[in-house]
Amino acid sequence: MPPQRHQATRRTPGQAHIGNTVDAMREFYPPIEPNRTGMLDVGDANLIYWEESGNPLGKPALFLHGGPGGGTTPAHRQLFNPEKYRIILFDQRNCGKSTPHASTPGIDLSHNTTWDLVADIEKLREHLGVDRWLVYGGSWGSTLTLAYAQTHPERVTEILLRGIFTLRETELDWFYEGGAAAVYPDLWERYMEPIPADWSGSNIDAYAALLYDEDPAVAVHAAKAWVEWESSTITLLPPVDSDAADEGEYDLAFARIENHYFVNKGWLTPNQLIENAHLLSGIPAAIVQGRYDMCTPMMTAWALHKAWPEAEFTVVPDGGHAFSEPGIRSGLIDALDRFAER
Ligand code: STX
């Protein structure tokens, strides 16, 4: 079979690999069901949904989902070889199957911060009796992976990151305040539509009010516009399906949680996660970044690569943001298969 163009491929540490080098296309592993699931009490009246699939005696691997507020889906299990990995997924506070859900009227998100989630990961690790684990995170999941691994490096065997996001002002400005409007002026109009014409503050602040409007129809309308902007710009090619049948709970939770993190700048100091990359020294790591990622553009992956040259760095030449895209998926599965042999 001739090589296919949209592959990510194996990369040696310390070098940037950018271009058209291709290996074999990788498919997802087959769909699997969890071996066990549970709800862990992490305090502050929060229960988080967790699940384990794959090999109960395999190499422990933790999947950190995006958003924040995106939740896990069964497809996330399929990045990992189920014979090799003990695959652990959980829904971060107030989203997915975790409770209370952020769409609940009167929800209080003050106990939902980056550092609450880092503490939750440690609680989950102890609850499951895991000593050390591989951690994978894409997008916001990459932010959380960096925050967790820089806080508890001794608990992390390997790191895999996709679509690097570190919640810096420049990154929020790009995606939520107008940068990406240069590429998607049509979709940008729809994102801006709920914001009152006389509003003079930031878009993120406008949405912070809209998402809690006393009229639930206004809040849901805003949530749908927020989510649609994000979900329609994360793949290189337009997505095929939409969530038109959704009642709004997913959108409300996703938009409220993301917006809450962005208003608070992730409870991070400027550039914190990149400046602290040295704390990850010695942990085998790989970064997979799509060249045409419009949500978390490559400037951040590049900055991380410069600060952390020992991590493998792969740019997928025809990749966007989503983990399911062929080149991105191939790069991730290739890295996970190699880490499985360590
Ligand atoms: N947010 C990027 C992020 O983590 C800035 C993200 N964007 N879309 C997603 O996650 C979903 C795939 C979960 C919808």
Side-chain angles (χ1 to χ4, degrees):
M1 208 167 74
Q4 295 175 43
R5 279 194 54 91
H6 41 104
Q7 303 321 319
T9 189
R10 179 175 315 180
R11 301 302 178 219
T12 44
Q15 287 175 279
H17 291 273
I18 301 169
N20 298 318
T21 315
V22 291
D23 269 1
M25 159 91 108
R26 301 303 313 273
E27 296 298 336
F28 281 121
Y29 285 99
I32 48 172
E33 292 301 316
N35 303 321
R36 55 181 196 140
T37 69
M39 298 292 290
L40 178 65
D41 185 342
V42 292
D44 310 316
N46 278 277
L47 299 180
I48 58 167
Y49 167 82
W50 60 266
E51 58 164 67
E52 276 193 19
S53 55
N55 180 351
L57 301 176
K59 179 181 174 72
L62 176 68
F63 177 97
L64 296 179
H65 68 68
T72 60
T73 70
H76 293 147
R77 303 168 194 146
Q78 294 177 249
L79 286 169
F80 302 88
N81 182 337
E83 290 175 8
K84 301 273 170 108
Y85 279 109
R86 175 179 171 189
I87 306 159
I88 299 160
L89 275 54
F90 80 96
D91 290 336
Q92 296 158 26
R93 288 190 183 202
N94 309 119
C95 74
K97 297 196 191 88
S98 294
T99 63
H101 198 255
S103 63
T104 312
I107 187 71
D108 169 18
L109 296 180
S110 61
H111 294 290
N112 188 339
T113 72
T114 305
W115 307 109
D116 288 318
L117 300 186
V118 167
D120 292 352
I121 294 169
E122 276 298 274
K123 288 186 184 124
L124 180 61
R125 185 185 60 71
E126 282 167 14
H127 179 70
L128 298 177
V130 171
D131 185 36
R132 302 170 76 215
W133 48 10
L134 176 153
V135 183
Y136 162 82
S139 195
W140 157 256
S142 76
T143 324
L144 184 56
T145 300
L146 290 169
Y148 173 72
Q150 291 173 5
T151 310
H152 300 285
E154 72 286 356
R155 296 299 175 188
V156 180
T157 52
E158 295 89 8
I159 293 172
L160 176 60
L161 304 175
R162 165 198 58 89
I164 309 307
F165 180 56
T166 64
L167 230 143
R168 296 173 300 170
E169 195 92 43
T170 48
E171 298 169 52
L172 297 178
D173 285 351
W174 166 264
F175 195 62
Y176 298 98
E177 304 296 344
V183 185
Y184 295 109
D186 47 345
L187 303 178
W188 182 254
E189 279 181 11
R190 296 163 67 157
Y191 168 74
M192 295 298 288
E193 180 270 324
I195 300 178
D198 60 353
W199 177 258
S200 58
S202 73
N203 298 330
I204 287 174
D205 285 345
Y207 268 97
L210 288 165
L211 293 168
Y212 295 92
D213 196 280
E214 60 190 20
D215 179 351
V218 171
V220 169
H221 176 74
K224 286 193 175 296
W226 175 283
V227 171
E228 190 183 302
W229 165 247
E230 193 138 336
S231 58
S232 56
T233 52
I234 58 174
T235 46
L236 184 59
L237 302 175
V240 267
D241 40 39
S242 83
D243 61 349
D246 180 80
E247 302 291 334
E249 280 91 2
Y250 176 90
D251 296 334
L252 262 183
F254 183 83
R256 283 178 173 172
I257 294 170
E258 274 205 331
N259 185 270
H260 168 65
Y261 274 68
F262 301 160
V263 165
N264 290 288
K265 307 287 183 273
W267 301 270
L268 297 161
T269 56
N271 226 27
Q272 176 175 338
L273 297 174
I274 291 170
E275 278 170 9
N276 286 345
H278 63 92
L279 298 173
L280 307 173
S281 177
I283 304 175
I287 297 167
V288 176
Q289 172 70 40
R291 167 69 73 181
Y292 294 100
D293 185 333
M294 289 297 122
C295 181
T296 57
M298 186 179 145
M299 61 181 180
T300 304
W302 186 250
L304 183 64
H305 163 63
K306 291 300 203 61
W308 189 26
E310 75 181 84
E312 292 181 7
F313 184 58
T314 299
V315 177
V316 178
D318 59 355
H321 180 71
F323 87 109
S324 52
E325 292 187 280
I328 306 282
R329 175 186 79 211
S330 296
L332 297 176
I333 295 174
D334 178 73
L336 288 171
D337 282 359
R338 286 182 289 117
F339 286 152
E341 304 304 328
R342 290 189 71 255

